[in-house]
């Protein structure tokens, strides 16, 4: 049972344009969502997160949007740069007893390629 | 070092053998997590330590897998009677507490032949 799904295995974008990565989830108990970026032979690196009480969080070129009713979130990167080329993972966690809990459920990942 | 360190980087073992994978978390981080990433998939949760104790081991696939963190710092993931299906990248992550950002190591690529 894949509780977090990234249905696009890959995305190719021209430098300077917007990259939009999508993620869907099925577990309504998830209340904290994160995006991680992963380069080959490295561990995932935290990029940006959003709590379920918000619908948008922005950090520089990266913005995450959350639509709770649709159980959908997206990561927007604008403008995209060749250095953004990596695998992007969406992840979610459940608040356990009043504190967020680092046990994450990950999607399968989307390979982003930004062409110069 | 400043980051999460995992050793070895690569491990090739024969089916049926025992392996140990080591994780050195960031100094001072009390929370430690093990994940497993199979080819083409996202990381899957295995076990979570808060200090020395395993607070949640619900992700361990079966009793061939075991992890320890005896002094609340370094952790070892132990796999007995390895099977070819155990081949994956094993990732370790640590954080200050269970509600803060987790930092991942580079992983150990385990290949069972």
């Amino acid at each position: 049972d894949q509780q977090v799904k990234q249905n696009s295995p890959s995305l190719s974008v021209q430098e300077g344009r917007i990259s939009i990565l999508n993620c869907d989830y099925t577990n309504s108990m998830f209340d904290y969502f994160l995006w991680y970026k992963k380069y080959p032979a490295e561990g995932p690196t935290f990029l940006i997160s959003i709590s379920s009480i918000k619908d948008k969080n922005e950090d520089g070129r990266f913005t995450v949007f959350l639509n709770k009713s649709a159980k959908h979130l997206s990561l927007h990167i604008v403008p995209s740069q060749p250095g953004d080329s990596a695998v992007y993972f969406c992840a979610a966690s459940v608040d356990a007893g009043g504190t967020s809990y680092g046990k994450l459920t990950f999607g399968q990942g989307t390979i982003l390629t930004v062409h110069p | 070092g400043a980051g999460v360190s995992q050793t070895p980087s690569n491990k090739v073992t024969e089916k049926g053998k025992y392996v140990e994978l080591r994780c050195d978390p960031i100094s001072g981080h009390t929370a430690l997590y093990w994940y497993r990433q199979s080819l083409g998939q996202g990381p899957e949760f295995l076990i979570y330590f808060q200090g020395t104790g395993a607070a949640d081991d619900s992700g361990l696939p079966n009793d061939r897998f075991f992890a320890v963190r005896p002094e609340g710092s370094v952790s070892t993931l132990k796999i007995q009677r390895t099977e070819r299906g155990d081949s994956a990248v094993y990732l370790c992550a640590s954080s200050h507490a269970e509600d803060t950002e987790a930092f991942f190591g580079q992983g150990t690529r385990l290949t069972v032949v």
Side-chain angles (χ1 to χ4, degrees):
Chain A
D1 176 31
Q2 190 77 26
Q3 297 186 64
V4 178
K5 296 182 183 180
Q6 293 176 256
N7 291 317
S8 298
S10 63
L11 175 67
S12 184
V13 170
Q14 204 68 30
E15 181 179 7
R17 306 296 288 268
I18 186 171
S19 295
I20 300 176
L21 298 125
N22 293 302
C23 177
D24 296 293
Y25 62 96
T26 58
N27 188 344
S28 57
M29 297 298 290
F30 287 145
D31 64 350
Y32 194 67
F33 304 89
L34 309 89
W35 285 93
Y36 278 82
K37 179 165 84 169
K38 185 181 183 302
Y39 293 117
E42 294 183 12
T45 302
F46 171 77
L47 198 55
I48 192 168
S49 64
I50 188 167
S51 165
S52 61
I53 61 174
K54 295 185 176 181
D55 55 16
K56 177 183 174 180
N57 188 27
E58 191 172 352
D59 183 2
R61 296 186 298 114
F62 303 91
T63 302
V64 56
F65 296 92
L66 175 63
N67 182 335
K68 287 192 294 293
S69 61
K71 293 191 177 69
H72 177 84
L73 66 155
S74 61
L75 174 68
H76 292 210
I77 307 172
V78 59
S80 302
Q81 300 173 354
D84 295 330
S85 298
V87 180
Y88 288 77
F89 292 100
C90 169
S93 69
V94 176
D95 191 336
T99 59
S100 298
Y101 176 31
K103 174 183 176 181
L104 301 174
T105 301
F106 283 85
Q108 312 95 304
T110 297
I111 301 171
L112 173 66
T113 304
V114 181
H115 298 283
Chain B
V4 177
S5 175
Q6 292 186 248
T7 53
S9 299
N10 285 281
K11 176 71 176 178
V12 180
T13 191
E14 292 181 347
K15 179 175 177 292
K17 298 288 188 182
Y18 167 84
V19 296
E20 289 189 352
L21 311 179
R22 177 186 168 106
C23 173
D24 278 276
I26 293 172
S27 178
H29 281 190
T30 58
L32 185 146
Y33 309 85
W34 283 98
Y35 287 82
R36 177 170 72 172
Q37 184 177 11
S38 300
L39 194 63
Q41 300 297 316
E44 292 178 286
F45 171 80
L46 295 177
I47 187 169
Y48 155 59
F49 287 90
Q50 181 59 250
T52 60
D56 185 344
D57 65 357
S58 61
L60 294 178
N62 52 60
D63 61 7
R64 294 188 297 105
F65 289 75
F66 190 72
V68 295
R69 194 185 186 200
E71 297 178 358
S73 178
V74 171
S75 177
T76 305
L77 178 65
K78 309 181 181 194
I79 311 174
Q80 298 178 322
R81 305 183 302 281
T82 51
E83 299 177 358
R84 291 198 179 88
D86 298 335
S87 297
V89 175
Y90 289 81
L91 294 162
C92 176
S94 71
S95 64
H96 273 296
E98 62 186 19
D99 61 346
T100 58
E101 174 195 342
F103 294 84
F104 281 82
Q106 84 283 7
T108 293
R109 179 175 297 279
L110 175 67
T111 304
V112 182
V113 297

